């Protein structure tokens, strides 16, 4: 037996277990709200020993993430001290990139929106314009709510304090501290955070004769940049992602943060989640042929934003982000949707679905699940922006454009009924700006199609219920922020 290998493995398992236990406790603290929860209750709900809970809560209190919420009478002995989460100890930015609009929010650890921005956007204007819009919105939110960098200081508790032996080990190996400290030593999505990755020239980007800050001359190649045909996952040594604060502009213009100083200097900021139309690769943060904007194919959006902002970034489809936000509920008044299954159907400038099974978002083997709008329901039907004909999205949006909302709801209901029959989901939730403009028409129209299907099939359970998703126009942006927060509270499939 190789003792050195066994010892390393045992240590890794111990650190992972410690991180998992901390996430369990944080999740219960968030769920308890302002009333708080006692250490004994934490032990009962987690299955941990009272001693283990005491160590975890002492560490969380020392880091500013938990605080006393008062005392509660007990059946015997002295009153129990109850603890609560400190919401302002951590924040995340959530950005929804729609085809014609950018919606950004800043949320605290409870998922409560504490800042919001909305601005026009042209997703086809090119990477430079889109990234500049994201940077601007994120910086404005952080500066407005958390204050300018000089006013924050460097010793604030909270996200900065989430440090464990695993975090220190990641720093020694060259991995980013910020994303891992936010997760008690775990990296978002199972990857180290905070460094730069391979670069692809974005849509609309062109080299100019005069170099602007952070741009390269023609023919120059930054460290980690890929040549045409090289896979986006190449060019970075696994586990070696430098800290944002250590990056500098070299003579070759190597991936320095372009702006974003306000984010990197915010000690309670965990990072930024971005949600936009798919398809895309959630794991690598690389876009595919975004419907209507094929020029984005292969663009590494996650890494491009991390270089500019200096903080961890997670990228996912808009429908998945919204579904995650609904599944978790953020501990707010709306609450989560429990451990059941549902389909979130988003009808706005496009049409897609977010699928939740057992309380977790289903992304599929290649993170491509939920391309609901591009199921063909009319052979040789009208052309769709995806290149096919007769897609539900094309038929539904055409009906909306004609002002025929009843027909649009009927088409959407046909797709929802197909989905319900295929997956046997518990409920259908409707969202998106088009639905928000006429919620009753869509809920009633989609529900009527599902009712008709249920009558044809018989049985005693009735039709799958159809409801309007809470969250309104900022639901996707809030869900994008949860891509950062979810892993912190034990929802492993968040980021």
């Amino acid at each position: 037996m190789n003792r050195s290998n066994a010892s390393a493995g045992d240590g890794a398992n111990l650190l992972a277990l410690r991180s998992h236990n901390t996430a369990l406790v944080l999740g219960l603290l968030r769920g308890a709200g302002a009333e708080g929860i006692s250490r004994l209750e934490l032990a009962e709900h987690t299955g941990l020993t009272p001693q283990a809970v005491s160590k975890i809560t002492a560490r969380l209190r020392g880091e500013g993430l938990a605080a006393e919420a008062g005392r509660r009478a007990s059946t015997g002995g002295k009153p129990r001290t109850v603890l609560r989460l400190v919401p302002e100890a951590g924040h995340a930015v959530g950005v929804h990139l729609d085809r014609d609009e950018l919606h950004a929010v800043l949320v605290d650890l409870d998922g409560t929106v504490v800042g919001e921005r909305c601005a026009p956007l042209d997703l086809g204007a090119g990477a430079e314009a889109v990234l500049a819009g994201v940077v601007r919105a994120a910086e404005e939110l952080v500066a407005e709510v958390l204050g300018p960098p000089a006013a924050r200081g460097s010793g604030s508790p909270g996200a900065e304090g989430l440090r464990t032996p695993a975090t220190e080990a990641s720093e020694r190996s060259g991995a980013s501290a910020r994303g891992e400290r936010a997760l008690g030593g775990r990296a978002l999505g199972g990857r180290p955070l905070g460094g730069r990755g391979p670069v692809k020239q974005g849509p609309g980007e062109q080299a100019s004769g005069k170099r602007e800050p952070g741009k390269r001359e023609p023919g120059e190649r930054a460290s980690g940049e890929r040549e045409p045909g090289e896979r986006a996952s190449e060019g970075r040594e696994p586990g070696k992602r430098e800290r944002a604060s250590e990056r500098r502009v070299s003579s070759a213009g190597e991936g320095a943060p372009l702006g974003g100083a306000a984010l990197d200097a915010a000690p309670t900021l965990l990072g930024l989640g971005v949600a936009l139309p798919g398809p895309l690769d959630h794991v690598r943060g690389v876009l595919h042929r975004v419907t209507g904007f094929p020029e984005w194919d292969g663009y590494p959006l996650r890494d491009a934003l991390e270089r500019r902002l200096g903080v961890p970034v997670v990228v996912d489809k808009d429908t998945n982000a919204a579904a995650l936000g609904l599944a978790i509920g953020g501990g707010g008044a709306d609450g989560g949707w429990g451990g059941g299954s549902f389909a979130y159907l988003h009808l706005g400038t496009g049409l897609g679905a977010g699928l939740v099974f057992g309380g977790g978002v289903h992304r599929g083997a290649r993170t491509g699940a939920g391309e609901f709008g591009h199921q063909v329901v009319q052979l040789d039907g009208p052309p769709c922006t995806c290149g096919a004909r007769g897609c539900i999205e094309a038929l539904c949006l055409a009906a909306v454009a004609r002002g025929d909302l009843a027909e649009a709801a009927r088409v959407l209901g046909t797709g929802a009924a197909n989905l319900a029959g295929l997956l046997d989901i518990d409920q259908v939730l409707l969202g998106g700006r088009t639905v928000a403009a006429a919620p009753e028409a869509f809920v009633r129209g989609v529900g009527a199609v599902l009712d008709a299907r249920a009558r044809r099939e018989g049985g005693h359970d009735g039709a799958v219920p159809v409801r309007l998703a809470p969250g309104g126009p900022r639901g996707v942006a809030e869900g994008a922020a949860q891509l950062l927060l979810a892993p912190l509270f034990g929802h492993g499939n968040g980021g």
Side-chain angles (χ1 to χ4, degrees):
M1 176 178 178
N2 187 323
R3 288 186 174 274
S4 62
N5 289 344
S7 176
D10 291 345
N13 291 336
L14 178 61
L15 292 174
L17 180 62
R18 181 180 297 171
S19 176
H20 171 72
N21 292 342
T22 300
L24 291 178
V25 171
L26 280 170
L28 289 170
L29 287 171
R30 182 164 83 160
E35 294 183 0
I37 186 172
S38 70
R39 293 179 181 84
L40 180 59
E41 291 170 317
L42 287 171
E44 291 173 348
H45 284 85
T46 60
L48 300 173
T49 65
Q51 293 83 359
V53 168
S54 293
K55 288 182 180 179
I56 292 172
T57 55
R59 186 168 66 250
L60 294 177
R61 290 183 64 187
E63 292 163 351
L65 289 157
E68 287 191 9
R71 295 182 179 274
R72 187 180 299 163
S74 64
T75 54
K78 61 181 182 180
R80 298 174 184 169
T81 299
V82 293
L83 303 173
R84 63 173 179 85
L85 183 71
V86 179
E88 62 271 20
H91 297 86
V93 175
V95 177
H96 177 198
L97 294 178
D98 209 341
R99 292 170 175 84
D100 60 357
E101 182 181 74
L102 181 153
H103 202 139
V105 297
L106 181 70
V107 306
D108 62 18
L109 292 180
D110 265 339
T112 301
V113 175
V114 295
E116 186 173 0
R117 282 285 186 281
C118 191
L121 175 77
D122 179 3
L123 198 58
E128 187 63 31
V130 173
L131 267 62
V134 174
V135 171
R136 182 168 54 251
E139 286 185 332
E140 288 176 355
L141 278 173
V142 170
E144 176 186 293
V145 179
L146 303 183
R152 297 187 196 121
S154 59
S156 302
E160 285 284 355
L162 268 172
R163 304 177 61 81
T164 70
T167 305
E168 295 169 2
S170 71
E171 288 177 319
R172 288 195 296 270
S173 69
S176 165
R178 178 181 291 271
E180 296 200 10
R181 73 179 174 228
L183 305 177
R186 294 175 293 125
L188 286 170
R191 62 180 180 85
L193 288 168
R196 65 175 181 268
V199 180
K200 174 182 176 179
Q201 189 176 55
E205 291 181 333
Q206 294 182 351
S208 63
K210 181 178 179 181
R211 177 180 300 181
E212 296 179 7
K215 287 190 175 181
R216 299 185 300 279
E217 295 290 353
E220 290 182 342
R221 187 182 183 192
S223 174
E225 183 177 11
R226 64 186 175 99
E227 296 288 358
E230 183 180 354
R231 292 196 307 272
S233 59
E234 296 174 346
R236 181 196 309 142
E237 183 181 352
K240 294 290 184 180
R241 301 189 67 181
E242 63 186 341
R243 297 180 62 181
S245 59
E246 296 172 350
R247 292 181 226 139
R248 296 291 184 269
V249 179
S250 71
S251 59
E254 289 189 1
L258 307 180
L263 273 67
D264 197 33
T268 66
L269 187 67
L270 306 181
L272 178 140
V274 181
L276 72 162
L280 54 80
D281 184 333
H282 163 67
V283 174
R284 297 187 300 140
V286 175
L287 306 186
H288 294 326
R289 294 176 65 86
V290 176
T291 305
F293 301 92
E295 63 270 23
W296 283 100
D297 188 22
Y299 186 74
L301 180 62
R302 181 195 72 197
D303 293 336
L305 282 172
E306 283 186 348
R307 281 194 309 279
R308 288 176 179 249
L309 296 172
V311 297
V313 175
V314 181
V315 174
D316 207 346
K317 292 199 296 187
D318 47 9
T319 51
N320 286 343
L324 176 65
L326 292 168
I328 294 174
D334 289 330
W337 292 89
S341 63
F342 65 83
Y344 167 75
L345 305 184
H346 184 94
L347 179 59
T349 59
L351 175 61
L355 306 175
V356 171
F357 302 115
V361 177
H362 175 73
R363 295 185 175 92
R366 291 169 292 278
T367 72
E371 289 298 314
F372 169 82
H374 300 292
Q375 54 176 309
V376 175
V377 293
Q378 182 180 335
L379 295 178
D380 302 321
C384 179
T385 52
C386 73
R389 302 183 70 90
C391 294
I392 287 183
E393 177 179 303
L395 296 170
C396 196
L397 292 180
V400 171
R402 296 194 305 270
D404 191 349
L405 296 185
E407 175 63 10
R410 188 177 74 89
V411 172
L412 182 58
T414 299
N418 290 342
L419 200 60
L422 182 65
L423 301 176
D424 194 22
I425 51 180
D426 294 327
Q427 59 186 323
V428 172
L429 302 177
L430 304 180
R433 72 170 77 166
T434 302
V435 170
E440 292 184 5
F442 280 99
V443 171
R444 182 174 60 251
V446 173
V449 178
L450 287 167
D451 286 341
R453 182 188 181 96
R455 287 195 300 271
R456 291 195 306 271
E457 293 178 344
H460 304 286
D461 295 331
V464 174
V466 179
R467 298 186 176 94
L468 183 67
R474 66 187 188 193
V476 174
E478 290 185 59
Q482 290 294 342
L483 293 170
L484 271 296
L485 296 180
L488 177 61
F489 297 99
H491 297 276
N493 74 342

